[in-house]
Amino acid sequence: MTDKLFEIVEEPILLEDMIKKVKRREAGAITTFIGTVREFTKGKRTVFLQYQAYKPMAEKMLAQIGKEIEEKWQDTCVAITHRVGRLEITEAAVVIAVSSPHRKAAYEANEYAIERIKQIVPIWKKEKWEDGDEWIGDQLERIEYPTGQPNIKE
Amino acid sequence: MINILLFAQMQEEVGKEKIAVEMEKTTVKELKEYLQMHYKLTQLNESMVAVNEAYALENDEVKTGDTVAIIPPVSGG
């Protein structure tokens, strides 16, 4: 484990390491969020996911989210690690840990972090289906862009 | 020379991770128009652009030595 609070990695993420990064004497709460690879989306079976990141910028954007959180919820400490490469069903793609003196801030800040990741962090996932694959084209998963086909606009 | 980084579907469409464009000075908007003319990039219109790892606006300047990334809608998490 590294001591980097905001990181893009290729290896599996260990939850215990993430907790260690934010654990401190002033904290009365630590919340963790684990984003995992889901097998079925609207009845369609995913075989595995392939994540790609613009690594240096993605780490900067994760750090920016950490900064936003520290401004909104004082005395919080945030660590976020996102994994890239091939991920199998049930594996963790992202882990967010937040510590704070009281639980409410830790819960709220943790949810804020995952929402912001889906908006501003340059990471993309490609779904491998049983009958093909596609890059998922929208951070809020409203739009998908099938490979080799024209754009689908809302 | 301006280095342009491509990701996800657009990287597959062009078959390269990186394109070098011989330009001294331009804007984000003009660079997007240039790419639109020379490459078939289906997601260019809905993509954001980052210059030297920070999101940029259409009228921002881009100069030789800069690294420009075309950022299609992200899907991390």
Side-chain angles (χ1 to χ4, degrees):
Chain A
M1 138 186 190
T2 70
D3 54 5
K4 282 174 79 177
L5 291 177
F6 306 100
E7 202 174 16
I8 303 294
V9 300
E10 288 175 22
E11 314 76 44
I13 308 167
L14 299 175
L15 182 63
E16 197 56 37
D17 290 349
M18 299 299 293
I19 293 170
K20 277 184 203 152
K21 290 182 187 185
V22 299
K23 199 181 217 174
R24 61 212 163 103
R25 300 181 74 90
E26 311 90 283
I30 296 175
T31 55
T32 56
F33 171 82
I34 310 171
T36 57
V37 179
R38 178 177 56 234
E39 182 169 22
F40 286 95
T41 299
K42 289 170 194 159
K44 198 167 185 185
R45 183 167 175 262
T46 298
V47 181
F48 62 86
L49 290 184
Q50 192 81 35
Y51 278 94
Q52 185 183 62
Y54 179 19
K55 190 179 172 184
M57 185 173 168
E59 290 185 342
K60 279 185 187 174
M61 290 296 118
L62 292 176
Q64 185 189 307
I65 293 169
K67 214 174 142 197
E68 288 172 10
I69 287 173
E70 282 164 22
E71 283 167 13
K72 281 174 177 284
W73 293 275
Q74 283 182 358
D75 303 320
T76 51
C77 176
V78 189
I80 308 172
T81 298
H82 202 299
R83 188 176 164 195
V84 293
R86 176 175 166 154
L87 272 77
E88 309 298 330
I89 307 302
T90 75
E91 284 194 298
V94 63
V95 176
I96 304 164
V98 181
S99 69
S100 63
H102 301 283
R103 66 182 179 280
K104 194 171 166 55
Y107 274 121
E108 288 177 356
N110 204 307
E111 186 174 20
Y112 177 86
I114 187 66
E115 297 303 326
R116 289 294 279 157
I117 288 168
K118 288 173 182 288
Q119 291 167 355
I120 66 165
V121 182
I123 299 174
W124 302 271
K125 72 173 168 191
K126 189 183 199 179
E127 294 257 11
K128 176 73 180 75
W129 310 104
E130 286 168 298
D131 58 353
D133 55 36
E134 55 192 326
W135 285 102
I136 303 304
D138 181 83
Q139 63 271 44
L140 301 171
E141 298 176 20
R142 290 191 307 260
I143 316 170
E144 294 171 0
Y145 301 114
T147 302
Q149 288 184 22
N151 299 337
I152 298 162
K153 298 226 172 175
E154 274 187 317
Chain B
M1 195 175 75
I2 296 165
N3 279 312
I4 297 169
L5 305 180
L6 301 171
F7 296 95
Q9 189 172 314
M10 286 185 286
Q11 188 178 90
E12 289 183 4
E13 285 167 1
V14 174
K16 288 180 195 171
E17 294 176 17
K18 202 187 275 190
I19 302 171
V21 177
E22 290 295 339
M23 277 187 195
E24 277 300 307
K25 201 174 158 185
T26 183
T27 62
V28 166
K29 188 168 183 278
E30 284 171 3
L31 200 55
K32 278 174 102 171
E33 285 164 3
Y34 172 89
L35 291 173
Q36 195 65 72
M37 266 201 313
H38 290 80
Y39 298 92
K40 189 183 163 290
L41 297 173
T42 54
Q43 287 178 300
L44 198 58
N45 284 337
E46 60 263 27
S47 292
M48 305 268 278
V49 171
V51 178
N52 301 326
E53 300 171 10
Y55 285 114
L57 301 171
E58 293 281 291
N59 293 324
D60 285 354
E61 190 182 274
V62 182
K63 57 186 187 314
T64 185
D66 284 344
T67 298
V68 174
I70 310 299
I71 315 272
V74 300
S75 50

